[in-house]
Amino acid sequence: MLDLLVIGAGLAGLTAALRAAEAGLRVKVIAKGMGALHWSAGTVDVFGYLPGSEPPVRSPWDLLTRLPERHPYRIVGGPALRAALAQFTAWAAAAGLPYGGSAVAGDNFMLPSPVGALRPTYLAPQAQQAGDLSRPAPLAVAGFQGLRDFYPQLLADNLAAQGISARAVQLPFDLLTDRRDANTVQLAQGLDQPARVERLAAALRKLVEQGERVALPAILGLHQHTRTVAALQERLGAAVCEIPTLPPSVPGIRLTTALRHRLETLGVRVEIGMEAIGFQAEGGDIAWVETATSARPLKHRARSYLLATGGVLGGGFNSDHTGRFWEAVFDLPLTVAQDRREWFRPRFFDPAGQPVFHGGVAVNDTLQPVDAAGRTVYRNLWAAGGLLAHCDPILERSLEGIAIATGVAAAEVIAGISVPQVEMERG
């Protein structure tokens, strides 16, 4: 029998599976789909904005103790959050996908968004770090005629309007592919080929000025990313950075691939297309979870279960026109009101966010789901990631930090390694 069945293959589920497998547990991951990493920027945001506050957060560590008492970061604790982030960077580096942060330890830094907004983040892939907007070198934003979802002139103009030295350059689309049309994933696969990297470098050398950094859409290789970036920088003699495009996210796919490859080496199966459609509870424990197949449902049995299906955007929650709002696998109690008139504020872009996104699965100090009275729902069930209550990971820009911290913490509790602390130590 499995020691742990993880339901969900996003960042929370994958990091939890990794930590549990490294602790010696027999683990399997099942998921309906590929997880939110495929439409994320591939960065790790720890905390970017306080709800209702406009300026971005400079240092996440300076405000974590000001968060609500049951915020996931308060449950996990500051030292455990730091340790989980360090564990993540070690996993990524070992997979050939190094992550790093600001030159000022503990601070966020600003990267350009796909439309030229300034986006605070805490950790970024090496190829995005060169886009740190605190650096004085100007940006040459290179686009490709006919490439969807990346508009260099708009991006450069918006950066320039915020005092960032940037200009746009355009290159022919056929430098990247012989196809008339291709998405970013297909283009990234093409740039795994050294010959195409050489052609791109030759074209850029004619356009890039001395002292500029070169910003490109995030298509610099899929499986040979590190080699592609290094070769391009060497041939240009300039720093090269990637800017994420609209989904599908090549940086997110790279990270998913790296984490899944590590899981495979540990003997962990990740089964996609396994939608959980039912379960059986016996005596306060989950006995099995079943998933849909082309024939009869398939039962999965384990000693422990971790729910990491995400919130509304990840498909972990569902709703209907009557105002019912529910958790999709175990029908766990939610902190979301069962009245749709209370889900949203009148202003769509209200600085305080929307109540429906702040609600979720409430957990105890060991990340086990609890009901409104604080009672554990199932003794062998834990929860992690974007489905947790008392936070708004999208508004806060904390989605990846919460996923990593709670995924690792839950795995360590299940493995008997540690128990999260209730109060977070400052810094």
Side-chain angles (χ1 to χ4, degrees), residues 11 16 19 21 27 64 66 93 98 103-104 114 132 145 171 179 186 197 222 224 243 257 261 316 334 342 359 363 416:
L11 190 56
R19 187 67 186 97
V27 183
L64 294 181
R66 293 159 49 192
V104 180
D132 183 348
Q145 296 163 357
L171 295 164
R179 301 170 56 149
Q186 293 163 333
V197 177
L222 190 64
Q224 302 296 330
I243 298 177
T257 302
H261 177 72
L334 297 178
E342 299 181 36
V363 294

Coordinates of all heavy atoms in Angstrom, one line a residue, residues 11 16 19 21 27 64 66 93 98 103-104 114 132 145 171 179 186 197 222 224 243 257 261 316 334 342 359 363 416:
L11 N 2.4 23.0 -8.1 CA 3.6 23.2 -7.3 C 3.5 22.6 -5.9 O 4.4 22.0 -5.4 CB 4.0 24.7 -7.3 CG 5.4 25.1 -6.7 CD1 6.5 24.3 -7.5 CD2 5.6 26.6 -6.8
A16 N 5.4 18.6 -2.3 CA 5.0 17.7 -1.2 C 5.5 16.3 -1.5 O 6.0 15.6 -0.7 CB 3.5 17.7 -1.0
R19 N 9.3 16.0 -1.2 CA 9.7 15.9 0.2 C 9.4 14.6 0.9 O 10.2 14.0 1.6 CB 9.1 17.1 1.0 CG 9.7 17.2 2.4 CD 11.2 17.7 2.4 NE 11.8 17.7 3.7 CZ 12.5 16.6 4.2 NH1 12.7 15.5 3.5 NH2 13.0 16.7 5.4
A21 N 8.9 11.7 -0.6 CA 9.7 10.6 -1.2 C 11.1 10.6 -0.7 O 11.7 9.6 -0.5 CB 9.6 10.7 -2.8
V27 N 5.1 7.1 -2.5 CA 4.2 8.2 -2.9 C 3.7 8.0 -4.3 O 4.5 7.5 -5.2 CB 5.0 9.5 -2.8 CG1 4.0 10.7 -3.1 CG2 5.6 9.7 -1.4
L64 N 5.2 39.4 7.5 CA 4.5 38.2 7.7 C 3.8 38.0 9.0 O 2.8 37.4 9.1 CB 5.5 37.0 7.4 CG 6.0 36.8 6.0 CD1 6.9 35.6 5.9 CD2 4.9 36.7 5.0
R66 N 2.3 40.3 10.4 CA 1.1 41.2 10.4 C -0.1 40.5 9.7 O -1.2 41.1 9.6 CB 1.4 42.5 9.7 CG 2.4 43.4 10.5 CD 3.1 44.4 9.6 NE 2.2 45.2 8.8 CZ 2.6 45.9 7.8 NH1 3.9 46.0 7.5 NH2 1.7 46.6 7.1
A93 N 18.1 23.7 -8.8 CA 19.5 23.7 -9.2 C 20.0 22.3 -9.6 O 20.7 22.2 -10.6 CB 20.4 24.3 -8.1
P98 N 18.6 26.6 -12.3 CA 18.9 27.4 -11.1 C 17.9 28.6 -10.9 O 17.6 29.3 -11.9 CB 20.3 27.9 -11.3 CG 20.6 27.8 -12.7 CD 19.7 26.7 -13.2
A103 N 19.7 41.0 -5.2 CA 21.0 41.2 -4.7 C 21.0 41.5 -3.2 O 21.9 41.3 -2.5 CB 21.8 42.2 -5.4
V104 N 19.9 42.0 -2.8 CA 19.7 42.3 -1.3 C 18.9 41.2 -0.7 O 17.7 40.9 -1.0 CB 18.8 43.7 -1.2 CG1 18.6 43.9 0.3 CG2 19.5 44.8 -1.8
P114 N 4.5 40.8 -19.2 CA 4.4 40.7 -20.6 C 3.9 42.0 -21.3 O 4.0 42.2 -22.5 CB 3.4 39.6 -20.9 CG 3.5 38.7 -19.6 CD 3.8 39.7 -18.5
D132 N 16.0 42.1 -14.0 CA 15.8 42.9 -12.8 C 15.8 44.3 -13.2 O 16.9 44.9 -13.6 CB 16.9 42.5 -11.8 CG 16.8 43.2 -10.5 OD1 15.9 44.1 -10.4 OD2 17.5 42.9 -9.5
Q145 N 8.0 39.3 -35.7 CA 6.8 39.7 -36.5 C 5.9 38.5 -36.7 O 6.3 37.4 -37.2 CB 7.2 40.2 -37.9 CG 8.1 41.5 -37.8 CD 8.8 41.8 -39.1 OE1 8.8 41.0 -40.0 NE2 9.5 42.9 -39.1
L171 N 12.2 41.3 -35.2 CA 13.0 40.3 -36.0 C 12.0 39.5 -36.8 O 10.8 39.3 -36.5 CB 13.8 39.4 -35.1 CG 14.9 40.0 -34.3 CD1 15.4 39.1 -33.2 CD2 16.1 40.4 -35.2
R179 N 7.6 27.1 -39.9 CA 6.1 27.0 -39.9 C 5.5 28.4 -40.0 O 6.1 29.4 -39.6 CB 5.6 26.4 -38.6 CG 6.1 25.0 -38.3 CD 5.8 24.5 -36.9 NE 4.3 24.5 -36.7 CZ 3.7 23.7 -35.9 NH1 4.4 22.7 -35.3 NH2 2.4 23.8 -35.7
Q186 N 6.3 25.3 -29.0 CA 6.9 24.8 -30.2 C 8.1 25.6 -30.6 O 9.2 25.1 -31.1 CB 5.9 24.8 -31.4 CG 4.8 23.8 -31.2 CD 3.6 24.1 -32.0 OE1 3.3 25.3 -32.4 NE2 2.8 23.1 -32.3
V197 N 19.8 28.8 -32.8 CA 20.4 29.8 -31.8 C 21.4 30.7 -32.5 O 21.5 31.9 -32.3 CB 21.0 29.1 -30.6 CG1 21.6 30.1 -29.6 CG2 19.9 28.2 -29.9
L222 N 13.5 24.5 -24.6 CA 12.6 23.8 -23.7 C 13.4 22.8 -22.9 O 13.4 22.8 -21.7 CB 11.5 23.2 -24.5 CG 10.4 22.6 -23.7 CD1 9.6 23.7 -22.9 CD2 9.4 21.8 -24.6
Q224 N 16.8 22.1 -23.6 CA 18.2 22.5 -23.6 C 18.3 24.0 -23.2 O 19.1 24.7 -23.8 CB 18.8 22.2 -25.0 CG 18.8 20.8 -25.4 CD 19.6 19.9 -24.5 OE1 20.6 20.3 -23.9 NE2 19.2 18.6 -24.4
I243 N 11.2 37.2 -20.9 CA 10.0 37.8 -20.3 C 8.9 36.8 -20.6 O 8.6 36.5 -21.8 CB 9.7 39.2 -20.9 CG1 10.8 40.2 -20.6 CG2 8.4 39.7 -20.4 CD1 10.6 41.5 -21.2
T257 N 8.6 20.0 -15.6 CA 9.4 18.9 -16.2 C 10.5 18.6 -15.2 O 10.8 17.4 -15.0 CB 9.9 19.3 -17.6 OG1 8.8 19.6 -18.4 CG2 10.7 18.1 -18.2
H261 N 10.8 15.0 -13.3 CA 11.9 14.2 -13.6 C 12.6 13.7 -12.3 O 13.0 12.6 -12.1 CB 13.0 14.9 -14.4 CG 14.2 14.1 -14.7 ND1 14.2 13.0 -15.5 CD2 15.5 14.2 -14.2 CE1 15.4 12.5 -15.6 NE2 16.2 13.2 -14.8
G316 N -10.1 23.2 -7.9 CA -10.3 22.5 -6.7 C -11.6 22.8 -6.1 O -12.1 22.1 -5.2
L334 N -15.9 24.7 3.7 CA -15.2 25.9 3.1 C -15.6 27.1 3.9 O -16.7 27.2 4.5 CB -15.6 26.1 1.7 CG -15.1 25.0 0.7 CD1 -15.6 25.3 -0.7 CD2 -13.6 24.8 0.7
E342 N -22.6 37.3 -1.6 CA -21.5 37.7 -0.7 C -20.1 37.3 -1.3 O -19.1 37.4 -0.6 CB -21.7 37.0 0.6 CG -22.9 37.4 1.3 CD -23.1 36.7 2.7 OE1 -22.0 36.5 3.3 OE2 -24.2 36.3 3.1
G359 N -11.6 32.8 0.5 CA -12.1 31.7 1.3 C -11.5 30.4 0.8 O -10.8 30.4 -0.3
V363 N -7.6 24.9 7.9 CA -6.8 23.8 8.5 C -6.4 24.1 9.9 O -6.4 25.2 10.3 CB -5.6 23.5 7.5 CG1 -6.0 23.0 6.2 CG2 -4.7 24.8 7.4
G416 N 6.4 12.4 9.6 CA 6.8 12.4 11.0 C 8.1 13.1 11.3 O 8.8 12.9 12.3

